[in-house]
Amino acid sequence: MTTEILVCVLCRPPELPRDHPRPGRALLEAIENIALRDDLAFAIRPVDCMSGCRRHCTVALQAAGKSTYFFGDLPANETSAEQVLACAALHQASSDGFMAREARPDRLREGILARLPAPFTVSTASTELPT
């Protein structure tokens, strides 16, 4: 499964005026540029808000059948972008999406906000009602 990288493009520190460029957008662009340069196969998607405003910049990693991770406190720079992509590679290589804390790059060890289990799936056979 291809890991999808979600980046909040509205993330900004509270002191930054609303009409200034958003650091979240800068982080998205850095991730996209490095992924393109290094020919990395990830889906990268901007998101208008992931409700991590007090922990800007925020990024999530998700894939079907795998745990989803939500990270914050990421500076909008190339180092963060490289570490997000390295973590996405770990996520993609994992069969269930689990990434041990010590295996994740530094900024994604400290900035973890949540790890959600893979969505529960129910087969159609188990949802049929008896007649």
Side-chain angles (χ1 to χ4, degrees):
M1 285 292 144
T2 298
T3 291
E4 181 178 32
I5 302 169
L6 306 171
V7 183
C8 177
V9 295
L10 295 182
C11 279
R12 67 175 177 82
E15 66 275 3
L16 184 70
R18 291 184 181 272
D19 60 344
H20 280 66
R22 303 293 174 110
R25 174 72 60 187
L27 181 58
L28 170 72
E29 290 170 2
I31 291 168
E32 289 175 329
N33 289 338
I34 294 169
L36 183 62
R37 177 194 74 199
D38 295 347
D39 196 30
L40 301 175
F42 297 111
I44 303 168
R45 179 165 47 123
V47 177
D48 279 341
C49 185
M50 292 195 290
S51 295
C53 302
R54 292 180 190 234
R55 303 287 299 271
H56 64 87
C57 293
T58 58
V59 170
L61 303 176
Q62 67 181 11
K66 294 186 177 189
S67 295
T68 295
Y69 283 80
F70 184 40
F71 300 98
D73 303 324
L74 296 170
N77 59 35
E78 191 168 309
T79 300
S80 291
E82 289 170 344
Q83 290 191 14
V84 166
L85 289 163
C87 199
L90 292 172
H91 187 265
Q92 189 158 290
S94 171
S95 63
D96 61 1
F98 180 78
M99 299 178 291
R101 183 181 190 281
E102 62 275 0
R104 296 190 309 262
D106 291 341
R107 290 186 180 174
L108 295 132
R109 285 182 199 158
E110 302 303 321
I112 189 161
L113 303 179
R115 179 175 59 88
L116 305 172
F120 181 71
T121 57
V122 178
S123 71
T124 55
S126 67
T127 60
E128 292 178 14
L129 298 175
T131 56

